[in-house]
Amino acid sequence: EILEINPRKYGANFNNFLEVVHPDDRVIKNQLQEDLKTKKSPIEINYRLLFNDGRTKWINEICSTDFDMEGNPIRSYGTIQDITKYKLLEENFRQKEEQYKSLIETIPSLVTIIQNNRFEFINHAGSKMLEGTKKHQIKGMSIAKFIPQKSRKNFNKNFKSVLKGQTEAYFEEKMLRMNGSEFDAEIKFIRILHESSPAIQMIVNDISSKNKTKEVLNISEAKIQKMTVNLLEKENKLNELIETKNKFFSIIAHDLRSPFNSIIEFLEILLNQYEEFDDDERKNYLSLIEDDAKRTLKLLDDLLEWSKVQTGTMPFQPRQQKLLPILDYVSNNLDSVIYLKQLKLNYAIPAEFEIFADTKMLTTIIQNLISNA
């Protein structure tokens, strides 16, 4: 469905896959196939698909290879996911960031970000305001250099209050330019996160000349605050989606490996000893393979349901229920794996024993515990 290829019509082979890959990205896709023959650690790449109607999709692919004792590749396997929405979020975030920077550069006020008492960012108007008569590199300098001794007590008090948790502070104080001249400053501190660490956004207006109206200032500040909040929300949402995606891939790679190995082992036994088995034995192995395939499909469905819970598209629904049916269900799912390993799963849970939990989540937990064991 992601590739929009009908394998029965076109054949499930790499060349047909490659025809859907965007021409500009085929080199990296081909390189991935070559790397899989030698690299023993998983490989992750992003690339685009291009369809006949001009649509594009962004794909995230994670692949790994099994090698024999001599280091020869046996088979490769992996997952792909449509990450177009993540890419759109990234592009939207980038555009918002550009808009934010453009807005700041057009504002006649000094706008800066202070972290560890040093300028991490300052706009053009701010540099011009503090430079005095000569050009200086303000970024990286200590804020203390621009505060006269008589103003430091009030300045530091407001700065520390906001850094410790106060939302913002607004006051008037004297500031210094690089040439040592003082000017009357209207200062506003806003507590923000800069590169995941607490920081202060400082907005300064030179009110010595009184040539800027209060209305223009309020509009500019409101826009900056709104853009800052919007950017932080977008960044947090993007980080949550990426974390959920990585967790989902990790669980799929873990939970689907055992069922697929079981199916492969059954097939190898059937193929290698086909002539030694009678029809009933062959039917028995085919039945086991069919059961494993159905259980694996059901497991994949459960994992997809779990991903919906993580992304907030499905509610968490705990309820009072008996534990024994869940254990029976998991035991049936793992029956073929346990049989191949010549093991036996024993559990003694009273039929009336009840718990309060979400059925699908608890099933996944128990399946992982037994499968790992």
Side-chain angles (χ1 to χ4, degrees), residues 274-294:
Y274 186 83
E275 300 299 335
E276 301 175 17
F277 294 147
D278 57 31
D279 286 343
D280 288 339
E281 288 174 319
R282 293 167 188 160
K283 288 180 180 179
N284 180 49
Y285 272 103
L286 289 173
S287 177
L288 290 172
I289 293 170
E290 181 187 27
D291 290 343
D292 257 4
K294 288 179 178 179

PDB file of all heavy atoms in Angstrom, residues 274-294:
ATOM      1  N   TYR A 274      11.073 -33.414   2.791  1.00  0.00           N
ATOM      2  CA  TYR A 274       9.767 -33.563   2.122  1.00  0.00           C
ATOM      3  C   TYR A 274       9.483 -35.016   1.752  1.00  0.00           C
ATOM      4  O   TYR A 274       8.381 -35.535   1.981  1.00  0.00           O
ATOM      5  CB  TYR A 274       9.739 -32.665   0.876  1.00  0.00           C
ATOM      6  CG  TYR A 274       8.397 -32.635   0.186  1.00  0.00           C
ATOM      7  CD1 TYR A 274       7.394 -31.772   0.649  1.00  0.00           C
ATOM      8  CD2 TYR A 274       8.121 -33.446  -0.900  1.00  0.00           C
ATOM      9  CE1 TYR A 274       6.164 -31.732   0.030  1.00  0.00           C
ATOM     10  CE2 TYR A 274       6.886 -33.429  -1.525  1.00  0.00           C
ATOM     11  CZ  TYR A 274       5.899 -32.563  -1.072  1.00  0.00           C
ATOM     12  OH  TYR A 274       4.676 -32.519  -1.676  1.00  0.00           O
ATOM     13  N   GLU A 275      10.466 -35.691   1.152  1.00  0.00           N
ATOM     14  CA  GLU A 275      10.259 -37.061   0.684  1.00  0.00           C
ATOM     15  C   GLU A 275      10.114 -38.040   1.838  1.00  0.00           C
ATOM     16  O   GLU A 275       9.527 -39.118   1.677  1.00  0.00           O
ATOM     17  CB  GLU A 275      11.433 -37.483  -0.205  1.00  0.00           C
ATOM     18  CG  GLU A 275      11.635 -36.610  -1.440  1.00  0.00           C
ATOM     19  CD  GLU A 275      10.418 -36.646  -2.361  1.00  0.00           C
ATOM     20  OE1 GLU A 275       9.679 -37.655  -2.308  1.00  0.00           O
ATOM     21  OE2 GLU A 275      10.219 -35.684  -3.130  1.00  0.00           O
ATOM     22  N   GLU A 276      10.630 -37.694   3.010  1.00  0.00           N
ATOM     23  CA  GLU A 276      10.569 -38.606   4.155  1.00  0.00           C
ATOM     24  C   GLU A 276       9.213 -38.561   4.847  1.00  0.00           C
ATOM     25  O   GLU A 276       8.866 -39.473   5.593  1.00  0.00           O
ATOM     26  CB  GLU A 276      11.664 -38.235   5.155  1.00  0.00           C
ATOM     27  CG  GLU A 276      13.071 -38.303   4.572  1.00  0.00           C
ATOM     28  CD  GLU A 276      14.104 -37.797   5.569  1.00  0.00           C
ATOM     29  OE1 GLU A 276      13.774 -37.707   6.779  1.00  0.00           O
ATOM     30  OE2 GLU A 276      15.240 -37.492   5.144  1.00  0.00           O
ATOM     31  N   PHE A 277       8.440 -37.491   4.626  1.00  0.00           N
ATOM     32  CA  PHE A 277       7.145 -37.337   5.289  1.00  0.00           C
ATOM     33  C   PHE A 277       6.032 -37.936   4.434  1.00  0.00           C
ATOM     34  O   PHE A 277       6.092 -37.909   3.194  1.00  0.00           O
ATOM     35  CB  PHE A 277       6.831 -35.863   5.531  1.00  0.00           C
ATOM     36  CG  PHE A 277       7.765 -35.193   6.514  1.00  0.00           C
ATOM     37  CD1 PHE A 277       8.103 -33.855   6.362  1.00  0.00           C
ATOM     38  CD2 PHE A 277       8.295 -35.901   7.582  1.00  0.00           C
ATOM     39  CE1 PHE A 277       8.951 -33.242   7.250  1.00  0.00           C
ATOM     40  CE2 PHE A 277       9.144 -35.284   8.470  1.00  0.00           C
ATOM     41  CZ  PHE A 277       9.481 -33.964   8.322  1.00  0.00           C
ATOM     42  N   ASP A 278       5.015 -38.437   5.096  1.00  0.00           N
ATOM     43  CA  ASP A 278       3.814 -38.840   4.361  1.00  0.00           C
ATOM     44  C   ASP A 278       2.895 -37.631   4.239  1.00  0.00           C
ATOM     45  O   ASP A 278       3.193 -36.530   4.746  1.00  0.00           O
ATOM     46  CB  ASP A 278       3.102 -39.997   5.074  1.00  0.00           C
ATOM     47  CG  ASP A 278       2.743 -39.649   6.523  1.00  0.00           C
ATOM     48  OD1 ASP A 278       2.490 -38.453   6.790  1.00  0.00           O
ATOM     49  OD2 ASP A 278       2.726 -40.557   7.369  1.00  0.00           O
ATOM     50  N   ASP A 279       1.766 -37.788   3.584  1.00  0.00           N
ATOM     51  CA  ASP A 279       0.859 -36.656   3.327  1.00  0.00           C
ATOM     52  C   ASP A 279       0.349 -36.039   4.620  1.00  0.00           C
ATOM     53  O   ASP A 279       0.215 -34.813   4.721  1.00  0.00           O
ATOM     54  CB  ASP A 279      -0.323 -37.106   2.463  1.00  0.00           C
ATOM     55  CG  ASP A 279       0.093 -37.327   1.020  1.00  0.00           C
ATOM     56  OD1 ASP A 279       1.175 -36.818   0.658  1.00  0.00           O
ATOM     57  OD2 ASP A 279      -0.662 -37.977   0.266  1.00  0.00           O
ATOM     58  N   ASP A 280       0.043 -36.876   5.598  1.00  0.00           N
ATOM     59  CA  ASP A 280      -0.484 -36.333   6.858  1.00  0.00           C
ATOM     60  C   ASP A 280       0.547 -35.458   7.561  1.00  0.00           C
ATOM     61  O   ASP A 280       0.226 -34.391   8.108  1.00  0.00           O
ATOM     62  CB  ASP A 280      -0.906 -37.488   7.787  1.00  0.00           C
ATOM     63  CG  ASP A 280      -2.185 -38.176   7.298  1.00  0.00           C
ATOM     64  OD1 ASP A 280      -2.927 -37.541   6.519  1.00  0.00           O
ATOM     65  OD2 ASP A 280      -2.422 -39.336   7.694  1.00  0.00           O
ATOM     66  N   GLU A 281       1.813 -35.910   7.530  1.00  0.00           N
ATOM     67  CA  GLU A 281       2.863 -35.116   8.175  1.00  0.00           C
ATOM     68  C   GLU A 281       3.088 -33.805   7.428  1.00  0.00           C
ATOM     69  O   GLU A 281       3.306 -32.758   8.049  1.00  0.00           O
ATOM     70  CB  GLU A 281       4.167 -35.921   8.213  1.00  0.00           C
ATOM     71  CG  GLU A 281       4.125 -37.077   9.206  1.00  0.00           C
ATOM     72  CD  GLU A 281       5.378 -37.951   9.127  1.00  0.00           C
ATOM     73  OE1 GLU A 281       5.833 -38.217   8.000  1.00  0.00           O
ATOM     74  OE2 GLU A 281       5.884 -38.342  10.198  1.00  0.00           O
ATOM     75  N   ARG A 282       3.047 -33.864   6.096  1.00  0.00           N
ATOM     76  CA  ARG A 282       3.205 -32.623   5.330  1.00  0.00           C
ATOM     77  C   ARG A 282       2.074 -31.653   5.628  1.00  0.00           C
ATOM     78  O   ARG A 282       2.286 -30.442   5.798  1.00  0.00           O
ATOM     79  CB  ARG A 282       3.236 -32.941   3.835  1.00  0.00           C
ATOM     80  CG  ARG A 282       4.469 -33.729   3.395  1.00  0.00           C
ATOM     81  CD  ARG A 282       4.281 -34.269   1.994  1.00  0.00           C
ATOM     82  NE  ARG A 282       5.364 -35.185   1.633  1.00  0.00           N
ATOM     83  CZ  ARG A 282       5.279 -36.083   0.665  1.00  0.00           C
ATOM     84  NH1 ARG A 282       4.153 -36.191  -0.043  1.00  0.00           N
ATOM     85  NH2 ARG A 282       6.296 -36.866   0.394  1.00  0.00           N
ATOM     86  N   LYS A 283       0.837 -32.192   5.667  1.00  0.00           N
ATOM     87  CA  LYS A 283      -0.312 -31.323   5.974  1.00  0.00           C
ATOM     88  C   LYS A 283      -0.180 -30.726   7.373  1.00  0.00           C
ATOM     89  O   LYS A 283      -0.563 -29.582   7.604  1.00  0.00           O
ATOM     90  CB  LYS A 283      -1.613 -32.115   5.857  1.00  0.00           C
ATOM     91  CG  LYS A 283      -1.996 -32.457   4.422  1.00  0.00           C
ATOM     92  CD  LYS A 283      -3.302 -33.257   4.382  1.00  0.00           C
ATOM     93  CE  LYS A 283      -3.679 -33.604   2.940  1.00  0.00           C
ATOM     94  NZ  LYS A 283      -4.928 -34.407   2.878  1.00  0.00           N
ATOM     95  N   ASN A 284       0.363 -31.525   8.288  1.00  0.00           N
ATOM     96  CA  ASN A 284       0.535 -31.023   9.653  1.00  0.00           C
ATOM     97  C   ASN A 284       1.493 -29.837   9.690  1.00  0.00           C
ATOM     98  O   ASN A 284       1.230 -28.818  10.327  1.00  0.00           O
ATOM     99  CB  ASN A 284       1.070 -32.144  10.545  1.00  0.00           C
ATOM    100  CG  ASN A 284       1.263 -31.675  11.982  1.00  0.00           C
ATOM    101  OD1 ASN A 284       0.374 -31.073  12.569  1.00  0.00           O
ATOM    102  ND2 ASN A 284       2.435 -31.935  12.537  1.00  0.00           N
ATOM    103  N   TYR A 285       2.650 -29.957   8.959  1.00  0.00           N
ATOM    104  CA  TYR A 285       3.608 -28.845   8.918  1.00  0.00           C
ATOM    105  C   TYR A 285       3.011 -27.628   8.207  1.00  0.00           C
ATOM    106  O   TYR A 285       3.216 -26.484   8.632  1.00  0.00           O
ATOM    107  CB  TYR A 285       4.892 -29.292   8.230  1.00  0.00           C
ATOM    108  CG  TYR A 285       5.877 -29.915   9.181  1.00  0.00           C
ATOM    109  CD1 TYR A 285       6.038 -31.298   9.236  1.00  0.00           C
ATOM    110  CD2 TYR A 285       6.629 -29.133  10.049  1.00  0.00           C
ATOM    111  CE1 TYR A 285       6.927 -31.882  10.120  1.00  0.00           C
ATOM    112  CE2 TYR A 285       7.516 -29.697  10.922  1.00  0.00           C
ATOM    113  CZ  TYR A 285       7.669 -31.078  10.974  1.00  0.00           C
ATOM    114  OH  TYR A 285       8.560 -31.635  11.858  1.00  0.00           O
ATOM    115  N   LEU A 286       2.290 -27.863   7.123  1.00  0.00           N
ATOM    116  CA  LEU A 286       1.642 -26.729   6.430  1.00  0.00           C
ATOM    117  C   LEU A 286       0.626 -26.044   7.329  1.00  0.00           C
ATOM    118  O   LEU A 286       0.480 -24.822   7.303  1.00  0.00           O
ATOM    119  CB  LEU A 286       0.970 -27.225   5.139  1.00  0.00           C
ATOM    120  CG  LEU A 286       1.927 -27.622   4.004  1.00  0.00           C
ATOM    121  CD1 LEU A 286       1.149 -28.251   2.868  1.00  0.00           C
ATOM    122  CD2 LEU A 286       2.696 -26.396   3.504  1.00  0.00           C
ATOM    123  N   SER A 287      -0.078 -26.858   8.122  1.00  0.00           N
ATOM    124  CA  SER A 287      -1.055 -26.284   9.058  1.00  0.00           C
ATOM    125  C   SER A 287      -0.362 -25.432  10.108  1.00  0.00           C
ATOM    126  O   SER A 287      -0.829 -24.346  10.462  1.00  0.00           O
ATOM    127  CB  SER A 287      -1.848 -27.411   9.722  1.00  0.00           C
ATOM    128  OG  SER A 287      -2.745 -26.886  10.677  1.00  0.00           O
ATOM    129  N   LEU A 288       0.811 -25.932  10.605  1.00  0.00           N
ATOM    130  CA  LEU A 288       1.574 -25.146  11.583  1.00  0.00           C
ATOM    131  C   LEU A 288       2.059 -23.830  10.982  1.00  0.00           C
ATOM    132  O   LEU A 288       2.034 -22.784  11.632  1.00  0.00           O
ATOM    133  CB  LEU A 288       2.770 -25.964  12.079  1.00  0.00           C
ATOM    134  CG  LEU A 288       2.457 -27.161  12.974  1.00  0.00           C
ATOM    135  CD1 LEU A 288       3.715 -27.985  13.226  1.00  0.00           C
ATOM    136  CD2 LEU A 288       1.849 -26.710  14.294  1.00  0.00           C
ATOM    137  N   ILE A 289       2.528 -23.887   9.724  1.00  0.00           N
ATOM    138  CA  ILE A 289       2.988 -22.665   9.048  1.00  0.00           C
ATOM    139  C   ILE A 289       1.840 -21.680   8.881  1.00  0.00           C
ATOM    140  O   ILE A 289       1.984 -20.470   9.115  1.00  0.00           O
ATOM    141  CB  ILE A 289       3.603 -23.019   7.675  1.00  0.00           C
ATOM    142  CG1 ILE A 289       4.895 -23.813   7.879  1.00  0.00           C
ATOM    143  CG2 ILE A 289       3.879 -21.758   6.857  1.00  0.00           C
ATOM    144  CD1 ILE A 289       5.456 -24.412   6.605  1.00  0.00           C
ATOM    145  N   GLU A 290       0.664 -22.227   8.495  1.00  0.00           N
ATOM    146  CA  GLU A 290      -0.509 -21.346   8.325  1.00  0.00           C
ATOM    147  C   GLU A 290      -0.892 -20.690   9.656  1.00  0.00           C
ATOM    148  O   GLU A 290      -1.164 -19.486   9.722  1.00  0.00           O
ATOM    149  CB  GLU A 290      -1.687 -22.146   7.782  1.00  0.00           C
ATOM    150  CG  GLU A 290      -2.947 -21.284   7.566  1.00  0.00           C
ATOM    151  CD  GLU A 290      -4.164 -22.103   7.198  1.00  0.00           C
ATOM    152  OE1 GLU A 290      -4.225 -23.291   7.589  1.00  0.00           O
ATOM    153  OE2 GLU A 290      -5.052 -21.560   6.547  1.00  0.00           O
ATOM    154  N   ASP A 291      -0.890 -21.497  10.742  1.00  0.00           N
ATOM    155  CA  ASP A 291      -1.227 -20.948  12.063  1.00  0.00           C
ATOM    156  C   ASP A 291      -0.247 -19.856  12.462  1.00  0.00           C
ATOM    157  O   ASP A 291      -0.635 -18.804  12.985  1.00  0.00           O
ATOM    158  CB  ASP A 291      -1.223 -22.057  13.119  1.00  0.00           C
ATOM    159  CG  ASP A 291      -2.391 -23.023  12.943  1.00  0.00           C
ATOM    160  OD1 ASP A 291      -3.343 -22.648  12.227  1.00  0.00           O
ATOM    161  OD2 ASP A 291      -2.329 -24.131  13.512  1.00  0.00           O
ATOM    162  N   ASP A 292       1.068 -20.098  12.219  1.00  0.00           N
ATOM    163  CA  ASP A 292       2.074 -19.089  12.562  1.00  0.00           C
ATOM    164  C   ASP A 292       1.878 -17.809  11.766  1.00  0.00           C
ATOM    165  O   ASP A 292       2.021 -16.695  12.298  1.00  0.00           O
ATOM    166  CB  ASP A 292       3.474 -19.645  12.285  1.00  0.00           C
ATOM    167  CG  ASP A 292       4.152 -20.070  13.574  1.00  0.00           C
ATOM    168  OD1 ASP A 292       3.486 -19.988  14.624  1.00  0.00           O
ATOM    169  OD2 ASP A 292       5.316 -20.482  13.541  1.00  0.00           O
ATOM    170  N   ALA A 293       1.579 -17.949  10.489  1.00  0.00           N
ATOM    171  CA  ALA A 293       1.377 -16.772   9.643  1.00  0.00           C
ATOM    172  C   ALA A 293       0.188 -15.953  10.134  1.00  0.00           C
ATOM    173  O   ALA A 293       0.239 -14.719  10.190  1.00  0.00           O
ATOM    174  CB  ALA A 293       1.170 -17.189   8.192  1.00  0.00           C
ATOM    175  N   LYS A 294      -0.908 -16.646  10.507  1.00  0.00           N
ATOM    176  CA  LYS A 294      -2.094 -15.932  11.002  1.00  0.00           C
ATOM    177  C   LYS A 294      -1.796 -15.234  12.317  1.00  0.00           C
ATOM    178  O   LYS A 294      -2.220 -14.102  12.554  1.00  0.00           O
ATOM    179  CB  LYS A 294      -3.249 -16.913  11.181  1.00  0.00           C
ATOM    180  CG  LYS A 294      -3.846 -17.407   9.858  1.00  0.00           C
ATOM    181  CD  LYS A 294      -4.981 -18.397  10.098  1.00  0.00           C
ATOM    182  CE  LYS A 294      -5.593 -18.853   8.776  1.00  0.00           C
ATOM    183  NZ  LYS A 294      -6.678 -19.843   8.984  1.00  0.00           N
TER     184      LYS A 294
END
